[in-house]
């Protein structure tokens, strides 16, 4: 029978629908949306012209359908291609199936295979694919100018994927590792760090070093030749990130440990990618609570509109317990692992670790029943695990994209804080210790890891926090307060249970949880409900601090996006803004910002200012690489850190600028300029400690516990400084003195101080009376803020004098500082002060 081709040529006109609810009604015939889903879609539709919208929905609340309908709406309205991103290939398949079950048309790209490719290109269906497919350096979509919108499912995942895409790892077994490492040997020799560096290269140390960027500049052409000789474009492990980095090595950090060299930009230049530019609409779907700095830091854009699910939080029952905080008397980690493993023997359990090495510590317990995974066998190993009765599955540095819903797994062991996967984060956590900088990322990974087994609104299960670091992290108030409220309460519930757990009953508790013991479940729900009513909505930061963090992250992103594009017109001004802003938040972060700004200034050819910033970074945090600058003056290293500070300024900075900078920092201690501003005073007091050459921190700012400011002196003594300068009326109360004693105990516990003689205990405030019922320690001093401000002014005047030609040697400056009693010990003795006990009345 002849084909009737003419019948195909009938004109049809279809109405273009942009309302996502109408799209659902047309495509998913006979089905209904939840009320909450409809509320979210209407909210988004009204605000859809905003470029960056975050939709927060707990797992199991139907965010996939919401995201797919938004993708269709954007596609119909913009008449451009829309991409829907998933964290893994398995989630692509799951999303496509969910769409097909509902009758929603989608295309997909996974494992290099298309489904309905032409529907995507003709804007008839959004494309469902992985983050890796879109973000890798050789992505087939990178040249597609017609992508007009992206929906990020599990958007908290893409930050890690972006970072991975811009990270090149050179393992120690490759010749490149040794070739690059050897270029920096002479620098570390000159810094008396040759033994430590050699220990890294010989795999005798766990340290991470930054290979100094100012030295990298001298070796850049040699390193490029090494890469050419290594035929890196033929290496499948490196070629995708090499695509991004090959012409930008001067903008990258080179970090080294005993296993590999990591090359990565200090800030991911997201807006260099067209997906994050202003002509693309972005919708982020997330069940994970993240800080306000997360999106600017990783995506280069701040959230312009926030939509939360209107029907409340998930009711999942997470029993989060910590053997290290229990009554279990097993000290050795290896023995405790065996004990925990034995307690879990009847059940399937997921073990999440930050590294393969930590995973091997579990594998040695029972090699037959503990399954390790690698990138080339992960799907098969997961299937083996799900089909087993009681095997354990190890996921190393995989906190997202692999789900175990319902009965597939109800036990998760979290062994190790997620900082080991990337050398930069390990450096931040272990050496630079800038928790305020990495908090959002670490918390997001913890939530992602825990979320592997809690996929539904009514899921239940047990989470075992095994290691010291993760237990301390989630217990630190400032970290804990950035988790969702329900998880904060679940951690409190876990602590109540920890107080009862011992060697005899851990197995019993796990059995009761997994059998949904009615008494335990009822008590758990009652506890959660009662605590929810009582808990205060305490914010980790004030609105002012939140806005500051967001602004800082945006500037970081702008600097590195412009650098990546080799647009140098605004770099110097942006770097100045960055270091000026971050000093008001955290001096450790400020040191890091001076360091990365120095890299940026060097890239644009401003070498004098770059050198100044490198020196400033090292003066704030001595762990950061120190640039070597030759001088005509007869200066040598002094035993006095204050002398070294003066010499460094004389060598590197013009007098007027050095005095101006110091005045700017010390004026924070001026109670006249900043009345009743203890947070400002803290910044000035901490900076004073930096100038004196001490290691400093602000524990309450970093952890929301401990003293306001802490100085570590060179002889392993500490100065504890509590700010009460804003106290204008009344006496010092029992509560205030007790709080100070608590902070002293925090220092003794966290810094391993045995002897009170190793502590200076100082309350900075007016010399007012102390209540009779208060019990300050006999060695607690009260000193007025003006004493510290006046001390700072003496240091400024001394620095002015040190620029005189007569101060042309180390000995001359040492003598001047000694004669004027400018070192801390002598200055402290001369301050007007009173023992707190003498003010009791």
């Amino acid at each position: 029978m002849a084909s009737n081709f003419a019948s195909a040529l009938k004109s049809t006109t279809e109405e273009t629908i942009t309302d996502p609810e109408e799209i659902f009604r047309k495509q998913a015939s006979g089905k209904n949306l939840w009320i909450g889903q409809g509320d979210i879609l209407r909210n988004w539709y009204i605000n859809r012209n905003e470029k960056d919208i975050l939709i927060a929905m707990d797992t199991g609340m139907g965010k996939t359908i919401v995201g797919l309908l938004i993708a269709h709406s954007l596609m119909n309205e913009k008449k451009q291609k829309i991409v829907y991103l998933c964290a893994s290939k398995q989630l692509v398949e799951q999303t496509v199936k969910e769409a097909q079950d509902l009758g929603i048309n989608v295309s997909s790209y996974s494992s290099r295979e298309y489904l309905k490719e032409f529907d995507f290109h003709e804007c008839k269906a959004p494309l469902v694919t992985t983050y890796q497919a879109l973000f890798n350096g050789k992505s087939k979509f990178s040249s597609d100018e017609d992508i007009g919108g992206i929906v990020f499912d599990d958007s908290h995942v893409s930050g890690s994927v972006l970072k991975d895409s811009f990270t090149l790892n050179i393992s120690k077994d490759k010749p490149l590792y040794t070739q690059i490492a050897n270029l920096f040997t002479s620098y570390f020799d000159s810094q008396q760090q040759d033994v430590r560096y050699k220990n890294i290269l010989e795999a005798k140390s766990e340290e991470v070093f930054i290979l100094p960027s100012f030295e990298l500049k001298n070796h850049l052409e040699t390193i490029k030749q090494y890469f050419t000789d290594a035929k890196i474009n033929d290496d499948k492990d490196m070629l995708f990130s090499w695509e991004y980095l090959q012409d930008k090595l001067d903008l990258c950090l080179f970090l080294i440990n005993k296993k590999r060299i990591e090359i990565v930009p200090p800030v991911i230049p997201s807006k260099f990618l067209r997906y994050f530019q202003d002509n693309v609409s972005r919708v982020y779907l997330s069940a994970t609570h993240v800080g306000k700095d997360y999106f600017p830091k990783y995506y280069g854009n701040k959230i312009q509109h926030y939509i939360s699910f209107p029907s409340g939080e998930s009711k999942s029952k997470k029993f989060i317990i910590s053997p290290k905080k229990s009554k279990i008397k097993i000290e050795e980690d290896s023995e405790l692992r065996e004990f925990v493993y034995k307690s879990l023997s009847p059940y399937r359990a997921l073990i999440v670790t930050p590294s393969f090495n930590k995973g091997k510590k579990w594998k040695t317990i029972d090699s037959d029943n503990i399954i390790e995974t690698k990138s080339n066998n992960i799907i098969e190993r997961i299937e083996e695990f799900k089909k087993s009765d009681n095997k354990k599955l190890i996921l190393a540095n995989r906190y997202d994209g692999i789900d175990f819903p319902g009965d597939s797994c109800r036990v998760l062991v979290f062994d190790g804080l997620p900082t080991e996967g990337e050398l930069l984060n390990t450096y931040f956590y272990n050496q630079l210790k800038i928790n305020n900088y990495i908090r959002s990322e670490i918390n997001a990974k913890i939530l992602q890891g825990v979320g592997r087994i809690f996929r539904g609104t009514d899921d239940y299960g047990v989470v075992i926090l095994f290691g010291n670091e993760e237990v301390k992290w989630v217990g630190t108030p400032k970290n804990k307060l950035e988790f969702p409220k329900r998880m904060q309460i679940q951690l409190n519930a876990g602590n109540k249970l920890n107080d009862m757990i011992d060697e005899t009953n851990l197995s019993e508790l796990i059995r009761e949880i997994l059998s949904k013991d009615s008494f335990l479940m009822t008590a758990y729900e009652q506890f959660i409900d009662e605590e929810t009513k009582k808990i205060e909505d305490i914010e980790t930061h004030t609105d002012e601090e939140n806005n500051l963090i967001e602004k800082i992250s945006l500037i970081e992103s702008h600097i590195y996006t412009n650098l990546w594009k080799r647009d140098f017109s605004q770099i110097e001004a942006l770097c100045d803004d960055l270091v000026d802003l971050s000093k008001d938040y955290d001096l450790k972060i400020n040191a890091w910002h001076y360091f990365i700004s120095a890299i940026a200034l060097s890239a644009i050819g401003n070498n004098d200012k770059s050198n100044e910033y490198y020196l400033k970074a090292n003066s704030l945090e001595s762990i950061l690489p120190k640039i070597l600058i030759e001088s005509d003056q007869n200066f040598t290293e002094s035993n006095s850190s204050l002398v070294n500070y003066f010499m460094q300024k004389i060598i590197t900075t013009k007098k007027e600028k050095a005095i101006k900078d110091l005045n700017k920092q010390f004026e924070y201690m001026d109670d006249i300029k900043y009345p009743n501003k203890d947070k400002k005073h803290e910044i000035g007091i901490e900076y004073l400690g930096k100038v004196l050459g001490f290691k400093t921190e602000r524990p309450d700012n970093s952890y929301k516990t401990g003293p306001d400011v802490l100085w570590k002196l060179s002889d392993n003594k500490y100065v504890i400084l509590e700010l009460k300068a804003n106290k204008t009326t009344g006496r010092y109360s029992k509560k205030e003195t007790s709080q100070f004693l608590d902070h002293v105990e925090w220092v003794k516990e966290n810094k391993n101080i045995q002897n009170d003689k190793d502590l200076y205990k100082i309350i900075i405030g007016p010399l007012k009376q102390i209540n009779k019922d208060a019990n300050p320690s006999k060695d607690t001093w009260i000193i007025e803020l003006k004493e510290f401000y006046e001390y700072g002014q003496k240091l400024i005047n001394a620095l002015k004098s040190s620029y005189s030609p007569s101060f042309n040697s180390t000995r001359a400056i040492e003598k001047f500082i000694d004669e004027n009693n400018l070192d801390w010990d002598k200055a402290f003795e001369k301050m007007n002060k009173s023992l707190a006990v003498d003010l009791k009345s």
Side-chain angles (χ1 to χ4, degrees), residues 69-135:
L69 292 172
I70 287 172
H72 265 278
S73 176
L74 286 171
M75 179 183 70
N76 290 348
E77 183 165 25
K78 301 185 79 168
K79 295 179 172 53
Q80 287 182 292
K81 299 173 187 176
I82 307 298
V83 179
Y84 183 103
L85 294 177
C86 297
S88 67
K89 294 175 184 178
Q90 292 80 10
L91 289 174
V92 169
E93 294 172 7
Q94 183 179 312
T95 301
V96 170
K97 185 177 185 306
E98 190 167 352
Q100 290 172 339
D101 290 345
L102 285 167
I104 296 175
N105 189 31
V106 294
S107 171
S108 70
Y109 179 77
S110 182
S111 300
R112 300 185 180 181
E113 292 186 2
Y114 264 112
L115 170 72
K116 297 185 179 181
E117 176 179 2
F118 294 110
D119 277 9
F120 168 59
H121 291 303
E122 294 170 11
C123 297
K124 294 179 180 177
L127 179 77
V128 181
T129 189
T130 61
Y131 285 106
Q132 290 84 352
L134 194 69
F135 293 148

Side-chain angles (χ1 to χ4, degrees), residues 686-700:
E686 184 184 16
Y687 194 83
L688 174 63
K690 294 283 187 189
V691 170
L692 294 170
F694 306 147
K695 290 184 177 179
T696 70
E697 56 183 304
R698 290 163 62 199
D700 187 58

Side-chain angles (χ1 to χ4, degrees), residues 276-287:
F276 296 98
Q277 293 171 11
D278 293 339
N279 60 342
V280 178
S281 297
R282 291 167 292 273
V283 179
Y284 308 95
L285 307 173
S286 181

Side-chain angles (χ1 to χ4, degrees), residues 235-256:
D235 189 327
K236 62 181 177 63
D237 293 330
M238 294 194 280
L239 65 91
F240 293 105
S241 51
W242 181 244
E243 186 71 20
Y244 286 137
L245 304 185
Q246 57 185 324
D247 296 321
K248 309 291 195 305
L249 293 177
D250 58 319
L251 307 177
C252 292
L253 297 170
F254 282 55
L255 299 103
I256 187 169

Side-chain angles (χ1 to χ4, degrees), residues 143-195:
S143 60
D144 194 332
E145 296 293 326
D146 199 38
I147 294 177
I150 302 177
V151 177
F152 299 76
D153 199 359
D154 289 328
S155 59
H156 48 274
V157 171
S158 61
S160 296
V161 178
L162 273 167
K163 188 183 285 189
D164 288 345
S165 300
F166 280 84
T167 302
L168 189 148
N169 284 297
I170 304 168
S171 63
K172 191 172 184 178
D173 60 7
K174 295 182 184 295
L176 267 173
Y177 177 97
T178 303
Q179 289 173 323
I180 294 172
N182 287 344
L183 293 173
F184 295 87
T185 302
S186 59
Y187 168 80
F188 290 112
D189 285 348
S190 72
Q191 295 296 292
Q192 290 78 50
Q193 294 180 316
D194 50 317
V195 175

